Amino acid sequence: MSAYIPEDLVLEILPGLPLKCLIRFRSVSKSWATLIGTPDYLSKSLINDCILANPTHQLLFVKRSPESTHGRLSYSFLCYSTLASASDSKTHQDLPLQSPYDIKIVGSCNGLLCLFDYYGTSNIVVWNPTTVEFMFLPHAWDVETVCFGFDPIHEEFKVLRIRYVAESDEPYLPPYLAGRVHLNQEVEVYSLSGGSWRNLVVDVEVPKFQGVDSSYMNGVCFWLALSYYGDEKIVAFDVCDEVIRTMALPNYSLVYGEITWRTLTVLKESVALIVYPRNKGDERFFDIWLLLEFGVKESWTRLVRIVPICAFGWPLGFWKRGELFIVCRDLGELVLYDPFTQTVRTLQLDGEWFHVLPFTPSSVGINGSGFLDG
């Protein structure tokens, strides 16, 4: 019996497999390695169906920061399938938490969003954009890291915050001395059903500076973190067990150089990095790195390289057919770029900074449980 499998049959089988299986199958033959690892027209359907497809979402939530500090931070809903405005009245509305600079979205789960005023007041807000219900959590200063997720075992939402408090008795230190003072790491968890912060004892040191991207998958929050000394790690918080773990990122500085733009995301139940080099001259591309096993640095593998990419911005994430949401800083707007056809589509959304994430409306009440109020 012949061992040959027709290519059209391979294209039907591979999209249904987990990403970890795809990694292993690249070693079957040179043709399979090319098919899985190169975004040509044959593998485009594979990339879309197996890696990028996420048909369960109804909407896209787009947060916009104005170019001027006098503007208001706003958000819009776009229909996921068409990218048309999903609002019958206003095209954009104000966020419930405002700042002269920007507001971080540090978590999205079951129709709820968690907002964090990192640059200003350190306020944390849990918000349901569907019901317009929101709640400010009890305040504290010196908060550097916040994440948000759902505990499916105890059926409750939880917020994690990490504070770094200086041991020095000086009430204020100039910036050139502040970095030399030892900081005590204080970790706290807030259960929406409990209504108060409680201390959490952890045995790992979490780097102080939280990246702009965070992801949530199967009860675990992931984010990028950077220390004073330039050490960058990926951090994971298990919402159920309330355990924090860290691990190193791939040593991609050896591949790209020092200047890269990184986006942390989840692709088909796997943690992934979109790496966009910014110091390669006229060469424009981005790579998708996949994490096969958390805690094992060697399990980072470069899944695919997509070229060419337009030179006027950096990627925020994918749409349903492999197109990229890109921030066009020069024009002050968000665009959609198709790397396969090299076409650009303007989304009629202006601003300086954007955050785009898939969103499914929910009537979940902010009462601590994962179920509907009443």
Side-chain angles (χ1 to χ4, degrees):
M1 179 181 294
S2 174
Y4 172 74
I5 303 177
E7 191 172 80
D8 56 349
L9 182 58
V10 171
L11 285 175
E12 291 182 12
I13 296 175
L14 291 182
L17 299 177
L19 288 178
K20 295 179 181 179
C21 293
L22 284 180
I23 297 297
R24 295 201 303 268
F25 289 165
R26 287 198 299 192
S27 61
V28 170
S29 66
K30 290 183 178 180
S31 62
W32 281 37
T34 301
L35 180 66
I36 295 173
T38 306
D40 55 18
Y41 287 102
L42 288 177
S43 62
K44 179 181 178 181
S45 61
L46 174 65
I47 294 173
N48 292 339
D49 296 338
C50 189
I51 301 175
L52 310 179
N54 198 344
T56 60
H57 299 295
Q58 300 178 26
L59 300 173
L60 279 170
F61 178 90
V62 181
K63 188 207 71 173
R64 298 188 289 170
S65 302
E67 298 184 37
S68 168
T69 56
H70 302 291
R72 303 281 292 177
L73 301 176
S74 63
Y75 69 96
S76 304
F77 281 119
L78 303 180
C79 177
Y80 189 86
S81 59
T82 64
L83 296 184
S85 175
S87 175
D88 296 331
S89 54
K90 297 182 179 179
T91 57
H92 57 87
Q93 303 177 62
D94 288 348
L95 289 175
L97 186 60
Q98 292 290 322
S99 168
Y101 307 102
D102 195 10
I103 296 294
K104 285 187 175 183
I105 301 178
V106 293
S108 174
C109 181
N110 294 11
L112 300 185
L113 300 179
C114 186
L115 311 180
F116 175 38
D117 185 4
Y118 171 80
Y119 303 100
T121 63
S122 293
N123 279 325
I124 303 172
V125 168
V126 178
W127 171 45
N128 186 333
T130 306
T131 64
V132 203
E133 180 186 12
F134 63 90
M135 177 176 65
F136 280 81
L137 303 191
H139 182 268
W141 293 105
D142 304 311
V143 179
E144 291 287 344
T145 297
V146 177
C147 70
F148 171 72
F150 181 67
D151 179 349
I153 296 178
H154 303 94
E155 297 179 342
E156 61 181 352
F157 294 95
K158 295 178 182 178
V159 179
L160 174 85
R161 76 179 178 192
I162 303 179
R163 305 171 61 219
Y164 296 88
V165 183
E167 287 186 348
S168 172
D169 295 331
E170 295 292 332
Y172 172 78
L173 291 174
Y176 65 89
L177 290 178
R180 305 179 186 178
V181 176
H182 179 73
L183 299 176
N184 290 323
Q185 174 181 282
E186 297 183 2
V187 183
E188 298 170 292
V189 174
Y190 186 97
S191 299
L192 267 61
S193 60
S196 63
W197 292 101
R198 52 184 172 82
N199 292 326
L200 180 65
V201 178
V202 298
D203 56 0
V204 297
E205 183 176 350
V206 180
K208 183 174 186 287
F209 301 105
Q210 185 180 22
V212 297
D213 299 304
S214 59
S215 296
Y216 171 83
M217 177 182 68
N218 298 332
V220 181
C221 301
F222 300 92
W223 68 91
L224 298 177
L226 184 69
S227 71
Y228 272 120
Y229 309 102
D231 299 326
E232 193 171 24
K233 294 183 178 181
I234 182 171
V235 186
F237 172 63
D238 190 310
V239 183
C240 302
D241 298 336
E242 298 185 353
V243 174
I244 296 178
R245 296 185 295 161
T246 65
M247 70 167 293
L249 294 178
N251 195 6
Y252 41 65
S253 63
L254 300 177
V255 181
Y256 313 111
E258 295 297 330
I259 304 177
T260 58
W261 181 271
R262 297 166 297 281
T263 299
L264 182 69
T265 186
V266 172
L267 298 178
K268 203 173 182 182
E269 303 300 311
S270 295
V271 176
L273 278 173
I274 304 174
V275 181
Y276 173 45
R278 301 180 63 187
N279 59 343
K280 285 291 186 179
D282 295 332
E283 186 180 14
R284 299 289 175 176
F285 62 88
F286 70 89
D287 290 338
I288 300 176
W289 289 74
L290 192 70
L291 179 61
L292 301 181
E293 182 179 354
F294 193 91
V296 181
K297 183 178 181 180
E298 294 72 20
S299 71
W300 282 107
T301 182
R302 189 167 61 184
L303 179 64
V304 67
R305 170 167 293 182
I306 296 182
V307 292
I309 182 172
C310 55
F312 52 74
W314 56 83
L316 297 180
F318 293 102
W319 191 39
K320 61 179 183 177
R321 290 190 291 266
E323 298 94 331
L324 282 160
F325 293 105
I326 289 183
V327 177
C328 184
R329 291 292 303 277
D330 294 338
L331 300 178
E333 61 182 0
L334 183 69
V335 301
L336 189 72
Y337 174 70
D338 189 332
F340 303 102
T341 63
Q342 302 181 44
T343 56
V344 178
R345 172 182 172 185
T346 301
L347 299 180
Q348 306 298 323
L349 295 173
D350 58 341
E352 185 174 13
W353 298 99
F354 292 88
H355 192 133
V356 180
L357 55 91
F359 184 82
T360 299
S362 170
S363 298
V364 171
I366 305 178
N367 64 340
S369 73
F371 303 101
L372 296 172
D373 284 335

